[in-house]
Amino acid sequence: MINKCCCCVPLRLGVAIIALLSLVGVLAYLVLEKDSLLLQEDTSHINLDAVYYTGLVVTSLNIIASLFGILGAGMRKKSLIRVFKHVYWVMAVVIIAASIAIWIFIAVRRTDLYESCAFYYERDYALEGFDVTAEATGVCNKIMLGLLVGGGVAVLVGAAISIYFACVISAYVERLKRSSLHRPLRDLEQFTEMSYQKAVY
């Protein structure tokens, strides 16, 4: 059972920080992904608005859930934290699955990606009258190695962090649940004691 976030931060504060990081992350996605899609749309001449607005709907739900997490942690509201927990778990699983799928795609299509990299690298320098075939081979090999090795490490680390944060949120929900179960017992004990005192005195 997790009692502290990152071994030193109280669960309540940890959940609030996770919710805040999630909020900042999805807001950054909205800004950066819009620019990225616009660039791809200009170069590929394909309308990517549907992709952006689909992501906008998903990230909007994530923003609302993150706000629930911040408010729930601040007010100790189990219902709000529970909503944040469910959305965070779903998003974590989706992001992990998408990251693994992208890494597998790069691994399977590495030859095609390498050839595209070499083609565009040589083409850009050919316009200036340079022959960079050997250089393109070295550069593109390093890029593919970085994508495969760095991407694999990033997927593993990102998955571990996402699952750990989701477990921290779940642990805080369980703590709130236990607190709500113990409160009626304390109230009953206080009521019994007060009734006894009135009867005696």
Side-chain angles (χ1 to χ4, degrees):
M1 186 65 181
I2 300 175
N3 295 316
K4 296 230 181 237
C5 178
C6 302
C7 300
C8 60
V9 180
L11 283 180
R12 181 186 175 193
L13 179 59
V15 170
I17 293 174
I18 293 169
L20 183 60
L21 291 175
S22 178
L23 180 63
V24 172
V26 294
L27 290 176
Y29 165 83
L30 290 178
V31 175
L32 298 177
E33 190 65 12
K34 179 64 175 179
D35 294 337
S36 175
L37 288 177
L38 286 175
L39 179 61
Q40 294 180 29
E41 188 173 10
D42 291 340
T43 56
S44 63
H45 306 290
I46 298 174
N47 191 343
L48 297 175
D49 286 343
V51 176
Y52 174 73
Y53 287 112
T54 300
L56 181 62
V57 172
V58 174
T59 51
S60 297
L61 293 175
N62 205 351
I63 289 173
I64 295 172
S66 299
L67 292 174
F68 280 4
I70 295 171
L71 294 175
M75 300 185 295
R76 291 192 175 96
K77 289 291 185 180
K78 185 175 63 176
S79 58
L80 297 179
I81 296 295
R82 187 183 289 117
V83 172
F84 178 54
K85 181 192 80 169
H86 291 319
V87 174
Y88 193 92
W89 268 108
V90 171
M91 293 300 297
V93 171
V94 169
I95 291 173
I96 291 171
S99 300
I100 293 174
I102 292 172
W103 187 85
I104 292 174
F105 174 81
I106 293 174
V108 172
R109 301 292 300 273
R110 60 183 180 275
T111 302
D112 295 336
L113 294 173
Y114 165 80
E115 291 176 353
S116 297
C117 170
F119 171 77
Y120 285 109
Y121 191 90
E122 292 176 19
R123 188 194 66 175
D124 291 341
Y125 280 95
L127 296 175
E128 301 177 6
F130 297 105
D131 184 9
V132 292
T133 303
E135 183 179 344
T137 301
V139 170
C140 292
N141 278 330
K142 289 181 180 178
I143 291 175
M144 293 308 303
L145 182 63
L147 286 175
L148 289 173
V149 177
V153 172
V155 168
L156 291 176
V157 173
I161 293 174
S162 297
I163 292 174
Y164 176 74
F165 280 174
C167 290
V168 169
I169 299 168
S170 298
Y172 185 58
V173 171
E174 290 299 319
R175 176 175 292 183
L176 291 177
K177 188 184 298 184
R178 290 197 305 269
S179 299
S180 63
L181 290 175
H182 292 163
R183 188 175 297 111
L185 295 177
R186 290 196 300 268
D187 294 342
L188 179 60
E189 291 175 356
Q190 293 176 358
F191 176 77
T192 304
E193 184 179 352
M194 292 175 60
S195 300
Y196 174 78
Q197 291 176 352
K198 288 180 180 179
V200 171
Y201 298 104

